[in-house]
Amino acid sequence: MSGSLWLKPPTTTTPLPAVPRPRREHPATRAAPPPAEGPADPSADPGPPPADEQPAADPMDELAERLDGFVAVAVHPDEIAAILESDGMTDDHIRLTYGRADSFALAEDLYARVERRHPEPAALRDGPWHSELAGCLLRGLVFALPGLAYVLAAPLLAGGGGRAGLPGGTIPLLAGAVTGWVWNQALSHRAYTWLGLGERAAAARALLVGAPAGALAGTAVALAVAAPGETPAAVFAAGQSLYLAAATVLLVMGRERALLCALSPLAGAFPAFRWDLPDVLRAGLLLASLAAAVACAAFVVGPGVRRGARGRGGPAPAASLPYGLFGLGSGLLVLHAGVGDTLVSGAGAVIALTLSMGPAEWLLYRFRGESLTRLRTLTTAREFRRAVTGTLVLCLGGYLTVLLALTLAATLVWPDAPWPTPPRIATLLLIGTVLWLGLLLQAFGAVLSAAGVCLLAAAAQTAVPAAGPLAAGGAAALLALLSCVLLVRPTVHRV
């Protein structure tokens, strides 16, 4: 599962309106009524009363008229209160001017005065949260294709005794992969933040500095945990770390097709399922794919070398730490899903999870787009909560259906793979639920909650492997509860 699973937010924002306040005229500036000439005629029209005797205009009516366009499309009074507070209206000003206790009371009155008038929703493809299904499937494919490298390298890595009940060389490979996932997840967030600020050159510079550092970190960890006789696995882990760094650069910069071309030499693994290929050919295919990925990444980050590409007012490095922690938790969960009696028994699960990241990303975009549509068409908060909950259930159910189908298909295609048992399928679906809901919460800014739950579930499975289904089930239930509490609020969906 190479590259980043972080869902980048749109770069467009909706500016909050300025709330105009009525001007008060000074008594000295009021025009004096003209003096009466002659005796008053009792039969004549008395005319309008003097200005001082006219009823004062209700400031609430004036405010409602001025904010009519924004109040009419609000789904909940809290949205109006946010607009009022963003303009700097204090509670003292609201009490003196409008006679209401605070911004929430004023917002409730405005919400009751103005009729709901929601415009026709724009087409989903015109919104910032639209994404083509083909592009998401392509990303899922490039997430999964690197798995063919393990098929090509299997004979080269043979030898050496295993540890922890795993085949020889597995520990360095897993350690290097997890290190790369953590580092590159945080690096992806930092680069995506630069892109959101419109600083593409600064994003390239961040990748130029961070990607090689991540490759070195993954290599160092793999070498540190390698036991005697696992040197080939440690060397392969170094190449794996270098590829993860290059893939992160290409995925963040939107060069999925270039990465797919770089992975094309790995197609030589398909004949290896049935025939024994020469070791020289196996190594050559692996090196060709790695060299192509690194060359493409170096070309993409070229603008980052330019002077002044660092950008101004960029994100703090600490802001990317929670995304790295989420990468650690999700990566460990994927590894636990793929560990069975043998590596072959878990191959179908790992392939299914990596391939499912493409449909998962598309369903995340779909949920966000549908929620924004409901925000513009529904008139009450209750209707919005019901609609968003239904959309969440449909999207999650669709992802789990795709994951199950991919699991069964991968089991049929992979040679000698045992058929997954119902408990393993249930555990895999629970892990898929944790991953998808974690990505969803991450997309809405609740990354710390998602990372904490994933880390707890991964730690529980690591400490007590037999408790895997229970840990995954608890994490899935907790994330589902957090999602229902957070995502039914209309203000969360405003962009």
Side-chain angles (χ1 to χ4, degrees), residues 151-299:
V151 178
L152 287 172
L156 305 177
L157 304 179
R163 290 179 289 167
L166 298 173
T170 303
I171 299 298
L173 292 177
L174 296 183
V178 171
T179 303
W181 289 342
V182 175
W183 183 278
N184 291 316
Q185 189 80 353
L187 176 62
S188 298
H189 170 261
R190 183 165 180 79
Y192 275 133
T193 305
W194 278 120
L195 291 175
L197 296 173
E199 296 279 356
R200 189 174 181 85
R205 183 177 181 85
L207 293 170
L208 177 65
V209 175
L216 290 175
T219 301
V221 171
L223 292 174
V225 301
E230 294 182 332
T231 301
V235 173
F236 182 85
Q240 172 184 260
S241 300
L242 186 58
Y243 166 77
L244 289 175
T248 299
V249 171
L250 295 174
L251 289 172
V252 170
M253 302 302 285
R255 302 299 179 88
E256 291 88 352
R257 289 179 175 81
L259 180 58
L260 181 63
C261 294
L263 292 173
S264 58
L266 298 182
F270 290 107
F273 283 117
R274 299 192 61 180
W275 297 288
D276 187 17
L277 301 181
D279 291 347
V280 175
L281 178 58
R282 291 175 181 269
L285 293 174
L286 292 171
L287 291 176
S289 180
L290 178 61
V294 172
C296 291
F299 176 79

Side-chain angles (χ1 to χ4, degrees), residues 406-475:
L406 290 174
T407 301
L408 299 179
T411 304
L412 291 174
V413 173
W414 194 271
D416 301 326
W419 194 257
T421 61
R424 285 189 63 83
I425 291 180
T427 303
L428 177 64
L429 294 180
L430 289 174
I431 291 176
T433 301
V434 172
L435 292 179
W436 195 83
L437 291 177
L439 290 173
L440 181 64
L441 290 172
Q442 180 179 260
F444 281 89
V447 60
L448 280 175
S449 301
V453 173
C454 288
L455 285 174
L456 287 176
Q461 288 198 10
T462 302
V464 185
L470 182 60

